Amino acid sequence: MINPNDPTLKSWIAVDKDSDFPIQNLPFGIFKREGKLPRAGIAIGDYVVDLAEAALTGYFRELHVNLQIFEHNHLNPVIGMGKEKCRMLRQIISELLRHDNPELRDRPDIQKRVIHHRSSVEMLLPVRIGDYTDFYSSIDHATNIGKMLRDPDNALLPNWKHLPVAYHGRASSICVSGHNFHRPKGQMKPPDADQPVFGPTKALDFELETAFIIGTPTQMGDSVTTSAADQFIFGMVLFNDWSARDIQAWEYVPLGPFLAKNFASTISPWIITLDALEPFRVEGYTQSPAVLPYLHYTGNRNLDIQLEVIIQPEKGEPTCVTRSNYRYMYWTMEQQLAHHTVNGCNIQVGDMMASGTISGPTPESFGSMMELTWRGSKPLKLKDGSERKYIDNGDTVIIRGHAEKNGVRIGFGECKATVLPAKN
Amino acid sequence: MINPNDPTLKSWIAVDKDSDFPIQNLPFGIFKREGKLPRAGIAIGDYVVDLAEAALTGYFRELHVNLQIFEHNHLNPVIGMGKEKCRMLRQIISELLRHDNPELRDRPDIQKRVIHHRSSVEMLLPVRIGDYTDFYSSIDHATNIGKMLRDPDNALLPNWKHLPVAYHGRASSICVSGHNFHRPKGQMKPPDADQPVFGPTKALDFELETAFIIGTPTQMGDSVTTSAADQFIFGMVLFNDWSARDIQAWEYVPLGPFLAKNFASTISPWIITLDALEPFRVEGYTQSPAVLPYLHYTGNRNLDIQLEVIIQPEKGEPTCVTRSNYRYMYWTMEQQLAHHTVNGCNIQVGDMMASGTISGPTPESFGSMMELTWRGSKPLKLKDGSERKYIDNGDTVIIRGHAEKNGVRIGFGECKATVLPAKN
C-alpha cells in the first residue's frame, strides 16, 4: 500500500496548487445536495466524494461495515468505526483518486453519482457533538489576559503551568461555517456604573482556535495516557469561540464564562484527520517547571499549522488582522486529553475539545480583538479605512488555517460567520 | 375531565400512604426488564406502567403520535411531543388507574403485559442529556462558600444578586441512581506544599441539588421569558453533583470547576412533571436589590420540596446528615431559564439544568459536606460512631425529596450511588 501522505501523489481530479484539499488531505464532512438527504463526504480539490454512493458502488467491501453509516446527518457512526477503519477508508479513497488508477477515473457513469462539485452542495455540522470542552492552552494568550485583567507582573495564575486549564462549554450552539447569528444581549456592568445594565454586547470578539474531535470512546473510570491519546482523536477543525467581553467580565466570577460564550460558536465543515497532519509534527513548547508524570510525553507532538483571521466588513474589503500558528500551544492535544480523563471522566465519539485562543508572542499574532486592540485601547485600522475595537454588525469573521511542507498544503477550508444586529 | 392532581383521587392499584408515587404523581422514566429492550414507563406505587404496551393496547389513540416513541432508551421523543401531549398522556394514565375505571382494572390479561412490579425492572438514565448547566442559586450555599474561600464580610460576589450565576458541566458522566463510581484522582496542591501532587481526592463531597429537564426546544437567537418558561420545562429530578474539593480548589481559577466535577454526577430515575408539583408552589425569595426587567416574575414561583441526604457506610447504619428544602432557592427555575436564553442560547429537549447546592439558613440544612463540616473543621458524627469530614470509600450517599400537602405526597424516589476505591 502507498502512504496516502506521500507528497508525490497526484489525482486524476485536477487540484489547484493553492487548494486546501489535495489528495494528501482527504478530510471528512457532511454535505447536502438540493432535495436530497445529508450524507458523508470526503473533499478533494473543488469536489466532494459521496461516501454513500461510493459505498453502494461497492468500493468499501473490505471495510465490513454497515453501509448506512454514510447516510446520517452527522459523521459519528463513520468516526465510530474506529481509527483503523477510518484510516482504511481514507486509504481506499486515496487509491481510487490516484492519477494512475482507472477504476473510477475511466467510469464517467459512476463519477456522475459519486463525485459532486462542491459549489453544488451545502456543508452541514460534521458531527453530533456530545460534550464540548474549551482549553486555555496558549501561554501568550493566557499571559495577555492575565496582564489586562489581573496583575501585569504575575499574569499567569499559579496552576497554569501545572495543568491544561479548561472549562465545559455549550454544545447546542456550535454551528457550521456560514451560519450567521444575532449579536447577543445580556447583563454587563460598565466600570463607572453602580448597577448592571442590559443590552446588546458592546464588545463582541472572536477567538482564533482549533478543536479536535474524539473518535474512540472510553468508559467512566478509564483514563487515556498521553502515549495512547492519538488513538482517541479522529481529527481537527478550525473553531471560532465567539465571546462577549463585557458580559464575560461581569458574569465569570467565580464559576467561569457562561452567557458570554454560549450564544454561538463556529466550526469549519471539514474534519482534517490527524493522519493527514502527521507530516507537520514539530517539537512541543519547552515546559518548565516539569509537569507531573501523567502529563509527560515524548517525541514531536506539536503541529505547525498556520492560522489567520480576516475581518470582512459588510461593504468594505477584507483585512487580515492576525497571523498565528498552532505551534504556539504550550500544552499538546495528548496532554489535554490525558488531563481531561485522568479523573475517570468518560469521552464519547463526537466530543469536541478546543484549544483555547491561540496567540503568538508578537502583537501581530494575537488571537482575539481584546488582545489585538489591548482591550480597545489601540483600535485596529482596516483596509477600508474604518476602525475596530471589537466586531461590528455586518462584519464577517473568517478563520483560515493550513500546514505546508514539501510542496503539500493541507488546509482546513474556512470557518466564517457574519454578525447580524441584535434581535428586538 | 378530572384534575389528575385532585387529592381525593384513588387508584385500583394499592399505594402505600408513604409511597413517593401515588396516582397524583405519575412520573416518567425508562425501565428495562430482563432480556427486553428499554421502554418508557410511568410509576404508580410499587408498579410501573409500560407505556409501550399501553400504546399497543390502544390507550393512546387520541394522542395521534408515532407509538414507537415509547420504545427508545431515553424519554426525549416522549417529552418532545410537547407539554400539551405529555399532559394528555398523564391524564390518560390517571384515568386508566382510577379506582372506579374498569377498563384496565378488570382486565388481568392486559395488566400482565402493561403493569410490572418495580422490583422486576431496572431503571435507566431517563433522558439523553444534550447540554447540562449547573446554577448556583442558593443564597445560603453561595454565602457559606464565600465565607470559607473568600471574605467572611463580603461573602457574596457583586454579581450574585443580579443574575443567576451558572456554568456548563459535563453531560457524559451523568448517571442514573445506583450507578457507582471510583474515587477520582487528580492534581491538588496541599496548602503547605510548593508543588502540586497527584493522587485520589481526599475531599470527595456530595452536593444536594435538583435539576429540571427541558421539554420544548428553542432556536438560536430566541429567548424564553420568565412568564413562558414553565412551558419549556418538562419536570424535575434529584441530582447529586459529586465534587472533589481539593481538585476544585487548585484548578478552578479562572475558568471554573472542571475535573473536580466531571467524573460523575447522579440523578434520580423518575422525572416528576412540573404539573404534579403545581400544588406545592410557594412564594419566592424576596429579591433585593430589584432584578433587571428580564428577570421579573409574578406569582408564587418557588416550590416547597423537602430534601434530605443520608450517608450509609459500607457496614454501618444510615445517618441523615442534612434536611433542606427547595424553597431556600433565591432564583426560580423561570428566572434561570430566562437568563440562560436571554443571549439567544438555544435549548434542546433533554437538556438538564441543575439548581446548584441547596442549603438552608441553619447548619443542619447545609447541602454539602464542605458546609456541614465547615471545610473539615467540624467532622460529622454518624450513627455507627464513625466520623466524616468528607465521603469515604464504601459510603453510599442517598438523596431523597418529596412535597406534601392535603394528604398527598409527591416524591422523587432515590438518587443514590456508592463510592468505590480509586482505580489503580
Side-chain angles (χ1 to χ4, degrees):
Chain A
M1 278 212 182
I2 303 167
N3 169 11
N5 294 340
D6 181 345
T8 66
L9 289 182
K10 298 230 175 308
S11 174
W12 49 263
I13 293 185
V15 178
D16 194 273
K17 81 175 175 44
D18 295 332
S19 171
D20 278 346
F21 307 130
I23 191 171
Q24 290 83 0
N25 194 344
L26 304 181
F28 289 64
I30 294 288
F31 71 93
K32 189 181 172 315
R33 292 162 73 204
E34 211 182 318
K36 308 269 185 179
L37 290 171
R39 295 184 151 186
I42 281 183
I44 173 128
D46 291 334
Y47 296 86
V48 53
V49 181
D50 185 326
L51 295 182
E53 289 293 339
L56 286 176
T57 312
Y59 292 140
F60 302 156
R61 269 185 220 108
E62 59 190 291
L63 285 180
H64 300 293
V65 293
N66 178 341
L67 299 180
Q68 291 182 335
I69 62 173
F70 303 105
E71 296 174 17
H72 287 80
N73 65 354
H74 52 80
L75 284 168
N76 298 46
V78 176
I79 297 173
M81 288 192 303
K83 192 105 172 184
E84 272 318 306
K85 290 206 172 180
C86 286
R87 198 166 268 161
M88 274 174 69
L89 175 55
R90 182 163 166 266
Q91 179 84 36
I92 292 167
I93 298 295
S94 173
E95 281 171 13
L96 260 186
L97 296 177
R98 250 167 237 173
H99 74 287
D100 54 0
N101 184 345
E103 193 171 359
L104 179 56
R105 181 192 67 192
D106 296 349
R107 293 292 302 269
D109 53 328
I110 303 179
Q111 282 180 34
K112 224 169 142 179
R113 288 191 294 109
V114 173
I115 310 278
H116 315 298
H117 201 274
R118 287 203 286 120
S119 63
S120 71
V121 307
E122 177 193 0
M123 296 307 298
L124 306 182
L125 194 69
V127 276
R128 195 181 66 205
I129 301 165
D131 280 291
Y132 146 53
T133 298
D134 196 20
F135 283 88
Y136 185 57
S137 290
S138 149
I139 190 165
D140 294 299
H141 172 66
T143 304
N144 288 338
I145 298 296
K147 279 183 187 168
M148 279 186 269
L149 301 190
R150 285 178 291 267
D151 176 0
D153 297 325
N154 292 288
L156 284 184
L157 287 163
N159 59 11
W160 200 91
K161 286 188 169 183
H162 293 284
L163 56 85
V165 171
Y167 65 103
H168 294 295
R170 180 93 191 165
S172 73
S173 51
I174 298 174
C175 297
V176 73
S177 180
H179 185 109
N180 306 328
F181 63 92
H182 293 273
R183 175 176 295 267
K185 293 180 283 191
Q187 270 196 45
M188 46 217 129
K189 188 162 166 295
D192 51 348
D194 284 345
Q195 296 291 318
V197 297
F198 179 80
T201 174
K202 294 188 170 105
L204 183 62
D205 204 350
F206 64 80
E207 291 197 327
L208 167 57
E209 305 196 15
T210 65
F212 64 87
I213 309 283
I214 295 298
T216 305
T218 65
Q219 296 295 313
M220 261 177 73
D222 290 346
S223 302
V224 175
T225 63
T226 53
S227 57
D230 261 23
Q231 297 307 312
F232 292 79
I233 301 172
F234 174 69
M236 292 177 73
V237 293
L238 303 173
F239 182 63
N240 187 344
D241 180 24
W242 295 97
S243 300
R245 300 300 181 191
D246 39 10
I247 296 173
Q248 188 174 353
W250 173 233
E251 76 171 0
Y252 92 105
V253 191
L255 298 179
F258 182 54
L259 297 191
K261 302 269 193 179
N262 67 13
F263 56 89
S265 315
T266 308
I267 68 173
S268 53
W270 293 104
I271 306 180
I272 316 303
T273 63
L274 220 50
D275 286 345
L277 293 166
E278 203 50 42
F280 307 95
R281 290 284 182 191
V282 291
E283 203 180 348
Y285 213 102
T286 303
Q287 296 180 325
S288 172
V291 295
L292 281 163
Y294 79 92
L295 293 169
H296 285 178
Y297 71 94
T298 54
N300 290 339
R301 304 314 300 161
N302 212 333
L303 282 166
D304 181 6
I305 303 170
Q306 299 175 49
L307 300 163
E308 61 179 24
V309 181
I310 293 109
I311 297 179
Q312 160 85 61
E314 196 167 2
K315 287 169 186 160
E317 59 179 321
T319 304
C320 176
V321 295
T322 187
R323 288 195 168 81
S324 185
N325 194 303
Y326 186 84
R327 68 188 303 166
Y328 296 135
M329 294 276 285
Y330 188 88
W331 298 99
T332 69
M333 285 186 274
E334 290 83 358
Q335 290 180 310
Q336 290 171 338
L337 189 53
H339 182 65
H340 203 317
T341 58
V342 76
N343 67 344
C345 176
N346 59 325
I347 54 174
Q348 299 182 316
V349 172
D351 285 350
M352 200 182 98
M353 299 183 186
S355 58
T357 308
I358 305 173
S359 292
T362 59
E364 309 78 46
S365 60
F366 292 168
S368 66
M369 291 299 277
M370 185 176 176
E371 294 164 88
L372 289 165
T373 70
W374 212 253
R375 270 193 125 177
S377 66
K378 303 176 200 167
L380 280 188
K381 193 123 189 168
L382 302 190
K383 284 191 181 165
D384 66 0
S386 63
E387 285 194 343
R388 292 290 182 284
K389 292 179 177 174
Y390 289 100
I391 302 301
D392 280 1
N393 291 344
D395 284 354
T396 300
V397 175
I398 305 162
I399 301 179
R400 291 210 184 96
H402 73 276
E404 197 157 9
K405 195 176 169 182
N406 299 326
V408 175
R409 175 193 168 97
I410 301 294
F412 281 73
E414 273 185 351
C415 170
K416 78 170 176 183
T418 304
V419 177
L420 310 174
K423 273 196 175 183
N424 277 329
Chain B
M1 277 214 182
I2 302 167
N3 169 13
N5 293 339
D6 181 345
T8 66
L9 289 183
K10 298 232 174 305
S11 174
W12 49 264
I13 292 184
V15 178
D16 194 273
K17 79 175 177 40
D18 295 332
S19 172
D20 278 346
F21 306 130
I23 192 170
Q24 289 84 0
N25 193 344
L26 304 180
F28 288 65
I30 294 288
F31 71 93
K32 190 181 172 313
R33 293 162 72 203
E34 211 183 317
K36 308 269 186 181
L37 290 171
R39 294 184 152 186
I42 280 183
I44 172 128
D46 291 334
Y47 295 86
V48 54
V49 181
D50 185 324
L51 295 182
E53 288 293 338
L56 286 176
T57 312
Y59 294 138
F60 302 156
R61 268 186 221 107
E62 59 191 291
L63 285 179
H64 300 292
V65 294
N66 178 341
L67 299 180
Q68 292 182 334
I69 63 173
F70 303 105
E71 296 175 18
H72 287 80
N73 65 355
H74 52 80
L75 285 169
N76 297 46
V78 176
I79 297 174
M81 288 191 303
K83 192 106 172 182
E84 273 318 306
K85 291 208 170 178
C86 287
R87 199 166 267 162
M88 274 174 70
L89 176 55
R90 182 164 166 265
Q91 179 85 36
I92 292 168
I93 297 295
S94 173
E95 282 171 10
L96 260 186
L97 296 176
R98 250 167 236 174
H99 74 286
D100 54 0
N101 183 347
E103 193 172 357
L104 180 56
R105 182 192 68 191
D106 297 348
R107 291 292 302 268
D109 54 328
I110 303 179
Q111 282 180 35
K112 222 169 144 179
R113 288 190 294 107
V114 173
I115 309 280
H116 315 298
H117 200 275
R118 286 203 286 119
S119 63
S120 71
V121 307
E122 177 193 0
M123 296 307 298
L124 305 182
L125 194 70
V127 276
R128 195 181 66 205
I129 301 166
D131 280 291
Y132 147 54
T133 298
D134 196 20
F135 283 88
Y136 187 56
S137 290
S138 148
I139 191 165
D140 294 299
H141 172 67
T143 304
N144 288 338
I145 297 296
K147 279 183 187 169
M148 280 186 268
L149 301 189
R150 286 177 292 267
D151 177 0
D153 297 324
N154 293 288
L156 285 184
L157 287 163
N159 59 11
W160 201 91
K161 287 188 169 183
H162 293 284
L163 55 86
V165 170
Y167 65 103
H168 292 295
R170 181 91 190 166
S172 73
S173 51
I174 299 174
C175 297
V176 73
S177 181
H179 185 108
N180 305 328
F181 63 91
H182 293 275
R183 176 175 294 268
K185 293 180 284 191
Q187 269 196 46
M188 45 218 132
K189 189 163 165 296
D192 51 349
D194 284 345
Q195 297 290 318
V197 297
F198 179 80
T201 174
K202 295 188 169 106
L204 183 63
D205 204 351
F206 63 79
E207 291 198 325
L208 167 57
E209 304 196 15
T210 63
F212 64 86
I213 309 284
I214 295 298
T216 305
T218 65
Q219 297 295 312
M220 260 176 73
D222 290 346
S223 303
V224 175
T225 62
T226 53
S227 56
D230 260 24
Q231 296 308 312
F232 293 78
I233 301 173
F234 174 69
M236 291 176 74
V237 293
L238 302 173
F239 182 63
N240 186 344
D241 180 24
W242 295 97
S243 300
R245 300 300 182 192
D246 39 10
I247 295 173
Q248 188 174 354
W250 173 232
E251 75 172 0
Y252 92 105
V253 190
L255 298 179
F258 182 53
L259 297 191
K261 302 268 194 179
N262 67 13
F263 56 89
S265 315
T266 309
I267 67 172
S268 52
W270 294 104
I271 307 180
I272 316 303
T273 63
L274 220 51
D275 286 345
L277 293 165
E278 203 51 41
F280 308 96
R281 291 284 182 190
V282 291
E283 203 180 348
Y285 213 102
T286 303
Q287 297 181 325
S288 171
V291 296
L292 282 162
Y294 79 93
L295 294 169
H296 285 179
Y297 70 94
T298 53
N300 290 337
R301 303 314 301 163
N302 212 334
L303 282 166
D304 181 6
I305 302 171
Q306 300 174 50
L307 300 164
E308 61 180 23
V309 181
I310 293 109
I311 297 179
Q312 160 83 62
E314 196 167 3
K315 288 171 186 157
E317 59 180 320
T319 305
C320 176
V321 296
T322 187
R323 288 193 169 83
S324 185
N325 194 304
Y326 186 83
R327 68 189 302 166
Y328 297 135
M329 294 276 285
Y330 188 88
W331 297 99
T332 69
M333 285 185 274
E334 289 83 359
Q335 289 180 311
Q336 290 171 338
L337 189 54
H339 182 65
H340 202 317
T341 58
V342 77
N343 66 344
C345 176
N346 59 326
I347 54 174
Q348 298 181 314
V349 173
D351 286 350
M352 199 181 99
M353 299 184 187
S355 56
T357 308
I358 305 173
S359 293
T362 60
E364 309 78 49
S365 61
F366 291 169
S368 66
M369 291 299 277
M370 185 177 177
E371 294 164 88
L372 288 164
T373 70
W374 212 252
R375 266 192 127 175
S377 65
K378 304 177 201 168
L380 280 189
K381 194 124 190 167
L382 301 190
K383 283 191 181 163
D384 66 359
S386 63
E387 285 193 343
R388 292 289 182 285
K389 291 178 178 174
Y390 288 100
I391 302 300
D392 281 2
N393 290 345
D395 285 353
T396 300
V397 175
I398 305 162
I399 302 179
R400 292 209 184 97
H402 73 276
E404 198 157 8
K405 196 176 171 184
N406 298 328
V408 175
R409 176 192 167 97
I410 301 294
F412 280 73
E414 272 186 351
C415 170
K416 79 170 177 184
T418 303
V419 177
L420 309 174
K423 273 196 174 182
N424 277 328

